[in-house]
Amino acid sequence: MATGRGFEINSFARALPHGGARANLFSVSIPTNIIPVVGHTNTAEAIELTAKATTIPPSTIEPVEVPFYGRTFRLPGGRTFDDWETTITNDEDFKVRDFFEKWSNSINGHGTNVSSVLQGTANQGGGGGGIRNGYTTDAIVTQYGKDGDKIREYKMVDAWPHTIGEITLDWAENGTIQEFAVTWAFSWWESVATDQSGNPLSSGNNSRTTHS
């Protein structure tokens, strides 16, 4: 009796010529040089080393429903970008947590209800070129291959932290390291395949593509 191709283990192996991408081979880069937080050095490196979990963002085009004689046609509408989340491991110096809290406070002060960051000029750190100078940056998720080479990057343009999550405290917790979530708003994301050195690859000479 003939069997479908899906029953052949060799067919499955050929569909994964590189052995599959691994969910734990990634890093999160948050350029911090334009963020007005006094007293912080090497914070970008600390974030990259303690960002333990995140996601590659979804790609969503909202459908527009058009009724016609009792039927509904779903046509492509506008593109939307959901929030992006990272999970950070907290150290006793609270360095990364303090950075995010001060960044958030510069956008809107807890007690003052005003912003202390400059606005009205082009973004110097992000790629959006909007009026967000001083409080946004371009966040990057890098996917690595099993050989340690960069294989793909996702850039969240004009990203800023809109929610800094709670840290749970509990006397019953022994041997548990604190962590907290940071939820980000951003304008859009871009993806690019990279070579072994992390340089962008042209879609014209390989099977990996760049799009936004």
Side-chain angles (χ1 to χ4, degrees), residues 1-9 11-12:
M1 182 178 67
T3 60
R5 185 185 305 177
F7 288 90
E8 300 175 2
I9 189 65
S11 296
F12 178 71

Side-chain angles (χ1 to χ4, degrees), residues 131-194:
I131 55 170
R132 301 182 177 183
N133 180 44
Y135 75 88
T136 71
T137 190
D138 290 349
I140 298 173
V141 176
T142 301
Q143 176 74 54
Y144 298 94
K146 292 180 289 296
D147 56 4
D149 290 336
K150 296 180 180 180
I151 58 177
R152 197 167 184 84
E153 290 183 342
Y154 287 82
K155 178 170 68 175
M156 273 55 71
V157 176
D158 282 346
W160 56 277
H162 78 70
T163 301
I164 303 168
E166 65 183 16
I167 296 178
T168 300
L169 304 176
D170 188 340
W171 282 356
E173 291 293 335
N174 292 318
T176 300
I177 304 299
Q178 292 179 358
E179 58 185 46
F180 62 93
V182 179
T183 305
W184 303 79
F186 62 98
S187 296
W188 70 86
W189 60 260
E190 301 173 355
S191 66
V192 59
T194 62

